Amino acid sequence: MRLFNTLSRSVEELKPLSPPQVGIYTCGPTVYNYQHVGNYRTYVFEDSLVRTLKGAGFQVRRVMNITDVGHLTSDSDTGDDKLEVGAKREGKTAWDIAAFYTQAFLRDIASLDILPPDVLCKATDHIPEQIALVKRLEEKGLAYLIADGVYFDTARFPGYGRLDPARLKGQKAGARVELVEGKRAPEDFALWKLTPAGQKRHMEWDSPWGRGFPGWHIECSAMAMKYLGESFDIHCGGVDHVSIHHTNEIAQAEGATGRPFVRCWMHGEFLLMNSAKMAKSAGGFVTLADLKDQGCDPLDYRYHCYTAHYRKQLDFTWELLESAKTSRRRLREAAVALKDAPAAPACAEHLAAFRAALEDDLNLPGALAAAWGCVHSPAPAGAKRAFLEEAEQVLALGLFKDEARDALPPELQALLERRAAARAAKDFKLSDELRRELDSRGVLVEDTKQGQRWRRK
Ligand code: AMP
Ligand code: ZN
């Protein structure tokens, strides 16, 4: 398995620390609004990675965080917390905003057939771990206290910024205009922000430095180390995280432990709309609900994601989505037509091409081409069907769903999505209740390694 490592800027053979286990940390959503399809490009890329590794025989432990505090509207430690901004916008508390958009996110990833992470951890559930890490950094002389909060002293961490090629070339990414008073260097970043005197936040905690809240970057270092150990295999996110968020995660973790934090850093490129990164702040963004309104299935979007390598930018237009929808329909029709073919070993030649593409730095366009190659080949029907069943484990395009026959009414579909979200959040009480409810309405649900599966009673 060869993967591009942003840190070494080269494609490397994956050498897990304790094979066959692979530990993966993926930065999750900031839950102050709906995630857009740009965000979901990154989660689809990460899900293909997990599925590919599982298919190659690795035992994957995937951790994803939910950022429900500390992510400011500006990367320079000024501006408001996005959650508090969301709370003002909707006249709710930051806690309500976080709960609402976390559920929306979990429903979305279930509808994209993204496997639930093994650990889904919220920043607000890990305040003691974050405080402990800041204290460790303070004891090592890597942190200093100013009126605004506790800051990481980047000048005292040798090799700061080595993840970011632009920074090493001397072109500092993300020119920072605003400066927090007392910060020793523009690169220094908040570990713990103090609530300004006379103000009250929805989310704040006592700490050795005073009442306040954690900086955004510290949550990922603290939770990644808690669930995967001080050193682990793979850390993923979108490319926008290279220059600041992941650079700072490395500084915090390695500053505290003195050990290498992550062996392989992987970054997905942007989804573009109108030639610019799709972003909430830019105004124009598309959600999965918009997509459904246009008559598209989230899995049509998943197909669209496979039309470019994850390290290349990808355009989003409705025409491109429509063409992905047509291609997925054709592939699904081919799969459904093979449903009753006799059992046979999978078509070896195409399976080898499919796996080779995936193992070559997750070449999904190549893997998709191998799938089409198999469908159009003169191979026996059973061999094609077995190939497609295997390919579906990674592609997750709903290939064996005969949608006309299987379609459930929207309210039952919604119950299934809620149950998948409840399971992902490890709320087994709710997921059992929903299973009973579905059962009483004629739908049997079973849980498999690939997520929940349903059939009519
Ligand atoms: P956020 O909720 O802003 O923390 O972002 C969640 C994930 O989406 C992060 O891994 C980002 O890097 C990623 N992301 C944000 N915008 C885009 C985009 N336009 N294309 C691909 N990934 C994105
Ligand atoms: Zn993160």
Side-chain angles (χ1 to χ4, degrees), residues 29-30 35-36 38-39 42-43 238 240-241 269-271 277-278:
T30 306
Q35 293 271 289
H36 52 67
N39 302 121
T42 296
Y43 303 120
D240 51 339
H241 285 348
E269 254 297 350
F270 289 145
L271 182 78
K277 174 194 172 192
M278 187 181 282

Side-chain angles (χ1 to χ4, degrees), residues 25-28 65 67 216-217 219-220 235 241 245-246 249:
Y25 187 89
T26 54
C27 287
N65 66 303
T67 297
W216 170 36
H217 318 296
E219 65 168 275
C220 287
H235 193 315
H241 285 348
H245 184 51
H246 290 169
E249 273 191 49

